[in-house]
Amino acid sequence: MNETIVIRNCCADYGQGAVLKDVSLTVYEGEFIVLIGSSGCGKTTLLKLVNGLMKPNRGEVTVNGEDVQACDLIALRRKIGYVVQGAKLFPHMSVADNICYVPSLTRRLKLSGKQELVKEMLELVQLPENFADRFPCQLSGGQQQRVGIARALAMRPRLLLMDEPFGAVDEITRRGLQKQIRMLQRKMKITTLFVTHDIREACCLGDRIVVMNEGRIVQEGSPEALKKNPKDDFVRQLFEDIR
């Protein structure tokens, strides 16, 4: 399989002690990888290394064979879908304008092309077509999150980064969004790196789960492998909750 992300021996900090400690991880094309661990263990920092929002103090990160520290970061980020908790939509823009924002930067969209793209993306995330003219304040939390996903997918990314994207929605909406993003990921064959602190969500979504603790990767493998053979007490305790 082709390597989409390669993280080699990375260390990172915010000037107040190490957040990542000699972390290495390879993500292959089309995989759905879930990062899980307690708050402050380095999950979000790892995502920031991948899209260049943060530089490692030591080590190397490549995306599709390109060194993140040496590449054009604006061009890189426009190829990566990024979804965070709470959607973070532009409040002064309609749903349609939010969805078309990045595609409009990278290619000229005529009105007909914009309408077609918005219709396609709303259909993908199972929202009515008439939502196109609404503004974020007119949407529920779950609807905003769906628009955030639609905005990321409108870029036609081959790589999708998701940082606890469903943490701010109710349980029923969360389950629906989980099923939907897994279906879309498989349909579009998008390599996905997904951060959560919910072990049930990790097992539901991940081809491979990467367990982090205190800035290190302590174990990685399929949900079933980690359930059956936890490496230490930290991993064992994670899975105790769902047994």
Side-chain angles (χ1 to χ4, degrees):
M1 291 188 291
N2 294 328
E3 297 173 344
T4 298
I5 302 169
V6 179
I7 298 167
R8 295 189 185 94
N9 307 114
C10 279
C11 297
D13 65 55
Y14 292 96
Q16 299 175 332
V19 178
L20 293 179
K21 305 169 185 176
D22 197 30
V23 169
S24 295
L25 176 67
T26 299
V27 179
Y28 295 96
E29 185 177 4
E31 271 194 303
F32 198 120
I33 302 297
V34 178
L35 304 175
I36 190 167
S38 53
S39 296
C41 70
K43 305 183 299 294
T44 295
T45 300
L46 204 61
L47 289 194
K48 289 181 177 180
L49 294 184
V50 174
N51 66 4
L53 287 174
M54 187 174 179
K55 292 183 178 181
N57 299 91
R58 180 170 64 82
E60 179 186 36
V61 182
T62 63
V63 175
N64 293 320
E66 190 173 13
D67 186 345
V68 171
Q69 295 183 70
C71 72
D72 181 337
L73 288 178
I74 293 176
L76 173 71
R77 289 170 189 154
R78 287 178 179 173
K79 297 176 184 176
I80 298 175
Y82 196 33
V83 184
V84 297
Q85 183 174 329
K88 300 294 189 293
L89 303 176
F90 298 118
H92 62 290
M93 291 185 181
S94 67
V95 166
D97 288 337
N98 266 282
I99 290 173
C100 292
Y101 180 72
V102 175
S104 295
L105 294 176
T106 57
R107 62 184 189 271
R108 291 185 178 181
L109 282 177
K110 295 181 180 179
L111 179 59
S112 59
K114 177 179 176 180
Q115 291 172 335
E116 186 177 331
L117 177 62
V118 171
K119 180 180 178 181
E120 179 189 358
M121 291 301 111
L122 289 177
E123 187 177 327
L124 269 179
V125 297
Q126 298 178 2
L127 285 175
E129 191 176 343
N130 62 10
F131 271 47
D133 295 326
R134 295 191 185 186
F135 285 81
C137 64
Q138 298 173 302
L139 307 177
S140 69
Q143 289 165 347
Q144 288 186 33
Q145 203 65 62
R146 288 174 193 268
V147 175
I149 294 169
R151 181 175 62 183
L153 296 179
M155 301 161 54
R156 305 283 193 256
R158 302 311 309 153
L159 173 59
L160 184 61
L161 307 179
M162 308 189 81
D163 193 356
E164 298 202 49
F166 310 142
V169 298
D170 62 86
E171 187 63 26
I172 293 174
T173 302
R174 183 178 186 135
R175 289 176 190 169
L177 288 169
Q178 287 169 355
K179 291 178 182 178
Q180 191 168 27
I181 197 62
R182 195 63 170 112
M183 179 271 292
L184 291 173
Q185 185 267 342
R186 286 172 172 161
K187 179 180 179 180
M188 301 175 76
K189 300 178 181 178
I190 304 171
T191 306
T192 303
L193 198 55
F194 187 104
V195 166
T196 186
H197 64 271
D198 184 332
I199 188 61
R200 288 180 174 83
E201 184 166 72
C203 290
C204 171
L205 294 174
D207 296 317
R208 187 157 41 112
I209 296 175
V210 177
V211 180
M212 298 186 68
N213 189 29
E214 297 182 347
R216 300 182 187 278
I217 293 175
V218 295
Q219 191 172 359
E220 59 179 282
S222 69
E224 197 60 34
L226 268 61
K227 285 179 194 176
K228 289 182 177 179
N229 298 296
K231 187 176 181 180
D232 60 18
D233 288 341
F234 180 80
V235 181
R236 186 176 295 106
Q237 187 60 48
L238 272 178
F239 285 92
E240 280 296 326
D241 294 339
I242 60 172
R243 286 203 174 104

